[in-house]
Amino acid sequence: MKCTSRLLLAACTACATGQATTSETVRWQEQARNVTITRDDWGIPHIHGKTDADAVFGMIYAQAEDDFNRIEVNYLNAMGRLAEAVGDSAVIRDLRMKLYINPDTLKAKFAASPDWLKSLMVAWADGLNYFLSTHPRVVPRVLKRFEPWMALSFSEGSIGGDIESISLRGLRAFYGGQPADTLQPGAEPPPSEPSGSNGIAIAPANTTAHHALLLINPHTSFFFRAELQVQSDEGLNAYGAVTWGQFFVYQGFNERVGWMHTSSGADNIDEYLETPVRQNSGFVYRYSAGVRRVTTSTITVPYRQGAGMASRTFTVYGTHHGPVVREAGGKWVSVRLMDDPVHALIQSYTRTKAGNYQAFRETMELHTNSSNNTVYADADGNIALFHSNFMPRRDPRQDWSKPVDGSDPATEWGPLFSVEETPLIKNPATGWLYNSNDAPWWAAGPDSPKQADYPKYVDPEGANQRTPHAIRVLENRKDFTLASLISAAYDSYLPTFATLIPSLLQAYDGLPDSSRTGLAEPIAELRKWDYRWSTGSVATTLAVYWGTEASRRDSAGARSAGMDIDKYIVERVPAQRKLDALRVAVARLTADFGSWKTAWGEVNRFQRLSDDIVHPFDDAKPSIPVGFTSARWGSLASFGARSSKGSKKLYGTSGNSFVAVVEFGDSVRARAVTAGGQSGNPASPHFNDQAARYSTGDLREVYFYPSQLKGHIERSYHPGG
């Protein structure tokens, strides 16, 4: 153990000094010889190391080969250093991260971490630094050297973590001396693109082979995660989706268990209204019958300016609840959220090595998977849904959906709920369960937890557009296979339009002929539609354009009424207004494509031209049709598409990013597909080689075992070779 500690100290010292030393390079080369990276014929890396640390070294090296740019950007975001690359437009975003991410604090947490975890963080930094030393043509924008503690800045894995829930507008207004951004009257946007994911678990009783099945279907911005397999002689063998720059499989499976995280609607981030009082040279804030001192510190945010650098320094405030992030009604608002990066990293990594339900369940005792629900299945036939893993006990008399009184001790957090005290579902009698970012009250049909048994803050979210669709494809079936689970995941029914379109038809039928002018053909097209998407469907195009316009027009009214936008359109929007939205949709389609009679596949496209984080789109360059739509319309397979500057077609930017179906038994079988391809290099054959499969839901075989990989090996090598 003493030798290990000396090695860790030497590694950390070397990381802090800048250029690699000769001894450091020798050490990296020695570790590289313990690692083999095998690329299959899709370019997907299968990494094997003698130890877990060796595997982590090879895993992050392989990621850097595929897309170092995205690794660096993720850590620039996580550490609040993005402005050093892009300029002052990111200063407030960086300030938000720096309110929580402090290098000195993370270095101390690294030093206090268990040795086994330190060794993984050192291997992570070593793998990245070895990649940079062997690839001099890769020029980092900012991070020319990685240090082990940096792994703690991004340890939970979610897209848009808890810190990013803090409003930039409010933060800018409070600390930046600038007014919060506002929308101009009449410029209301439509409801935002649904984010999150789908997870489905099927019990053996509902499958033809009597094996548990799992659907892994994260909905993220495209190219946010890579696909890989990582193995060691110490029992690590995980396959799945890895967020660029992390050393654990975030959503995936091993030979015995599988896990799928879906963004949770749990209310576990709270705002407190603080009453500041200026006293002497500083501030205090009211608490109970007295006052407490406001903590005051400075944060300097460097940013790129032309060919050089500049910086802005902020005086920031905090209370015992957390940093002050905005003002509301003359009071300061502080935010309290989970902040435990070491345990988050331990939980994220150790669950990948769990071999059964009990072992996986034990990782949940760390309570640091804060922003997710988890759908689970295993080779013993168990299926389960774990609710958000971080749930503080709070006074149910308070309205936790709004800022609470920070001066009232009754608003303090109590102990965390145990796993059993949250809405846990294990082996429901229905034989299926799912989560699609809705509350768990529908997750297993009649065997779901009852909302009345829990405080409202446990999950205040209602159903979403995917809820009835998921139940529709799962209930009353006993014949699931890998193939039929894929079919269910891509089922083409759009339940939102099954609600909206009849109200439009009723509006048309109830108005005089003079109010219907020019709409007979579009209405006839919608009247015969079966509410299913396809690339050849004109009705899908028409419905999406009408639904988008109707939502844009009336989202403000729905918010004012406190109603769901679809319910508001059906029940509150006048008939003529619905028809006016249809006229706008018809006119736009005609202007953009020459006719409103345009098939959905001509409009809805997948295109990958570059590895830019903000992807450019071009109607004149190749793209392929995609049939599935936005989850906004209840599509389980999600394709969040929009027109870009200068484009007429809609191009996907988010939604299905990695899709896998897994069957557990004596061995594991899986099929998967990744948006575009594994590599971020446009010159690579694996930059876009999965695009056609992605667009049609044609999942390929996963090569989990050496016998499956045989005959599909593109190359095998050691890092640096």
Side-chain angles (χ1 to χ4, degrees):
M1 189 63 69
K2 291 181 180 178
C3 291
T4 301
S5 297
R6 285 197 298 269
L7 176 62
L8 293 171
L9 178 61
C12 296
T13 302
C15 279
T17 61
Q19 295 298 317
T21 63
T22 301
S23 62
E24 187 178 37
T25 301
V26 169
R27 179 168 57 81
W28 293 342
Q29 291 170 341
E30 289 176 351
Q31 188 159 31
R33 285 193 286 271
N34 294 333
V35 178
T36 301
I37 300 172
T38 301
R39 297 275 181 177
D40 67 26
D41 47 17
W42 296 100
I44 295 164
H46 303 254
I47 302 103
H48 180 271
K50 289 185 178 180
T51 66
D52 282 9
D54 294 335
V56 165
F57 179 95
M59 178 186 189
I60 198 65
Y61 182 96
Q63 287 185 55
E65 286 185 300
D66 287 333
D67 208 326
F68 177 81
N69 176 44
R70 290 181 186 273
I71 293 174
E72 185 181 22
V73 168
N74 278 347
Y75 279 89
L76 292 177
N77 271 315
M79 294 189 293
R81 299 184 62 182
L82 185 62
E84 295 177 48
V86 303
D88 61 358
S89 63
V91 165
I92 298 299
R93 180 181 296 273
D94 282 355
L95 174 65
R96 179 174 63 182
M97 299 307 297
K98 287 177 182 290
L99 289 172
Y100 291 90
I101 304 298
N102 181 290
D104 291 338
T105 301
L106 293 187
K107 288 174 186 178
K109 289 181 181 294
F110 168 79
S113 297
D115 278 351
W116 70 266
L117 184 62
K118 285 184 188 176
S119 71
L120 300 186
M121 289 189 272
V122 169
W124 171 84
D126 284 351
L128 287 168
N129 292 327
Y130 186 48
F131 170 80
L132 290 175
S133 74
T134 55
H135 292 75
R137 292 186 179 180
V138 176
V139 180
R141 300 165 78 181
V142 175
L143 300 177
K144 302 186 186 328
R145 186 77 176 177
F146 288 83
E147 299 181 44
W149 62 266
M150 292 178 178
L152 292 172
S153 69
F154 188 31
S155 57
E156 199 250 5
S158 297
I159 181 169
D162 293 348
I163 298 172
E164 293 189 25
S165 68
I166 295 170
S167 166
L168 288 175
R169 291 188 297 174
L171 197 67
R172 183 184 302 114
F174 189 77
Y175 287 118
Q178 301 173 28
D181 298 336
T182 56
L183 288 167
Q184 296 299 315
E188 286 286 346
S192 60
E193 176 65 28
S195 60
S197 308
N198 296 326
I200 294 175
I202 309 293
N206 285 18
T207 70
T208 58
H210 304 295
H211 295 151
L213 299 175
L214 178 67
L215 169 71
I216 299 170
N217 181 202
H219 296 170
T220 69
S221 54
F222 289 166
F223 324 123
F224 184 72
R225 295 196 174 104
E227 182 179 349
L228 56 74
Q229 181 178 20
V230 59
Q231 308 169 69
S232 80
D233 294 339
E234 295 181 336
L236 176 65
N237 189 5
Y239 191 107
V242 180
T243 307
W244 291 108
Q246 293 183 323
F247 62 76
F248 52 86
V249 172
Y250 184 63
Q251 291 154 318
F253 58 95
N254 58 38
E255 193 170 26
R256 299 289 301 170
V257 310
W259 56 96
M260 170 59 210
H261 303 307
T262 59
S263 298
S264 176
D267 181 359
N268 53 16
I269 302 173
D270 289 318
E271 292 187 325
Y272 290 83
L273 292 172
E274 315 285 12
T275 305
V277 178
R278 184 177 289 277
Q279 188 179 86
N280 300 325
S281 59
F283 288 95
V284 295
Y285 62 101
R286 301 192 186 283
Y287 187 74
S288 188
V291 295
R292 293 186 176 187
R293 182 156 296 279
V294 172
T295 59
T296 304
S297 60
T298 59
I299 293 177
T300 298
V301 181
Y303 62 92
R304 183 167 297 282
Q305 187 176 61
M309 296 292 293
S311 66
R312 289 182 62 188
T313 298
F314 301 87
T315 298
V316 299
Y317 305 104
T319 73
H320 71 287
H321 296 122
V324 175
V325 300
R326 63 186 176 90
E327 184 181 12
K331 294 183 182 291
W332 290 0
V333 179
S334 61
V335 171
R336 190 172 188 182
L337 47 75
M338 188 202 81
D339 185 14
D340 189 0
V342 173
H343 286 125
L345 187 55
I346 291 173
Q347 183 173 2
S348 295
Y349 183 79
T350 56
R351 66 171 166 249
T352 69
K353 297 183 73 172
N356 54 42
Y357 176 83
Q358 185 58 36
F360 193 92
R361 162 71 180 71
E362 288 173 3
T363 71
M364 304 297 285
E365 290 295 341
L366 292 169
H367 295 289
T368 49
N369 190 18
S370 64
S371 60
N372 297 297
N373 303 322
T374 302
V375 178
Y376 169 94
D378 68 30
D380 295 321
N382 296 303
I383 63 172
L385 174 66
F386 296 93
H387 190 57
S388 173
N389 190 227
F390 179 80
M391 183 57 59
R393 215 175 290 273
R394 283 158 284 176
D395 185 346
R397 295 171 298 179
Q398 308 287 337
D399 183 356
W400 294 97
S401 67
K402 300 176 181 178
V404 295
D405 183 359
S407 70
D408 185 355
T411 62
E412 295 297 337
W413 284 1
L416 296 179
F417 280 76
S418 69
V419 174
E420 284 74 16
E421 289 173 322
T422 58
L424 172 68
I425 307 173
K426 182 184 179 186
N427 296 331
T430 53
W432 56 264
L433 55 81
Y434 82 96
N435 190 256
S436 293
N437 317 115
D438 48 359
W441 323 129
W442 304 274
D447 296 321
S448 304
K450 302 298 184 284
Q451 186 172 11
D453 294 338
Y454 300 89
K456 184 177 181 180
Y457 58 76
V458 166
D459 199 321
E461 293 294 314
N464 61 40
Q465 290 87 348
R466 284 169 285 160
T467 301
H469 196 176
I471 295 171
R472 176 188 175 109
V473 301
L474 293 173
E475 63 184 355
N476 303 319
R477 289 196 61 176
K478 301 289 185 181
D479 60 347
F480 275 105
T481 63
L482 277 181
S484 62
L485 182 55
I486 294 171
S487 296
Y490 286 87
D491 185 79
S492 60
Y493 188 61
L494 297 174
T496 304
F497 286 124
T499 299
L500 290 177
I501 295 299
S503 77
L504 175 64
L505 300 179
Q506 185 179 26
Y508 178 85
D509 293 340
L511 289 174
D513 290 345
S514 59
S515 299
R516 302 176 178 179
T517 304
L519 295 180
E521 282 191 283
I523 286 291
E525 186 71 35
L526 291 171
R527 200 184 295 276
K528 67 183 182 182
W529 189 35
D530 60 0
Y531 309 122
R532 290 190 172 275
W533 53 256
S534 72
T535 55
S537 171
V538 170
T540 302
T541 310
L542 193 58
V544 168
Y545 274 66
W546 170 72
T548 301
E549 175 63 19
S551 298
R552 185 197 66 79
R553 287 176 167 225
D554 291 299
S555 58
R559 283 195 296 273
S560 297
M563 292 178 66
D564 170 78
I565 180 62
D566 298 330
K567 184 177 177 66
Y568 186 83
I569 291 172
V570 170
E571 297 181 1
R572 297 284 185 90
V573 174
Q576 188 62 61
R577 188 169 174 84
K578 294 176 186 177
L579 295 188
D580 288 345
L582 181 60
R583 285 194 175 87
V584 170
V586 168
R588 182 181 171 190
L589 285 166
T590 302
D592 287 351
F593 301 103
S595 170
W596 64 264
K597 298 177 182 179
T598 303
W600 181 234
E602 291 299 311
V603 175
N604 199 51
R605 312 288 289 187
F606 179 89
Q607 185 178 73
R608 192 180 193 191
L609 302 175
S610 80
D611 194 37
D612 293 351
I613 302 298
V614 179
H615 193 281
F617 296 104
D618 189 336
D619 287 348
K621 294 184 178 179
S623 63
I624 60 176
V626 176
F628 45 101
T629 74
S630 167
R632 162 76 180 89
W633 314 117
S635 181
L636 293 179
S638 174
F639 193 72
R642 57 178 176 80
S643 58
S644 184
K645 186 176 181 179
S647 73
K648 304 296 186 184
K649 298 176 182 179
L650 307 180
Y651 294 101
T653 60
S654 66
N656 279 19
S657 50
F658 172 72
V659 187
V661 290
V662 190
E663 180 180 29
F664 296 96
D666 295 333
S667 60
V668 66
R669 292 196 307 133
R671 302 188 72 83
V673 72
T674 294
Q678 178 70 17
S679 176
N681 180 2
S684 167
H686 304 301
F687 177 71
N688 211 32
D689 58 339
Q690 296 185 56
R693 284 180 175 270
Y694 169 83
S695 69
T696 59
D698 182 16
L699 278 61
R700 52 178 170 69
E701 181 185 7
V702 166
Y703 310 134
F704 187 82
Y705 296 103
S707 59
Q708 295 171 308
L709 195 54
K710 187 176 181 180
H712 297 284
I713 296 175
E714 187 174 81
R715 61 191 176 110
S716 188
Y717 57 99
H718 300 300

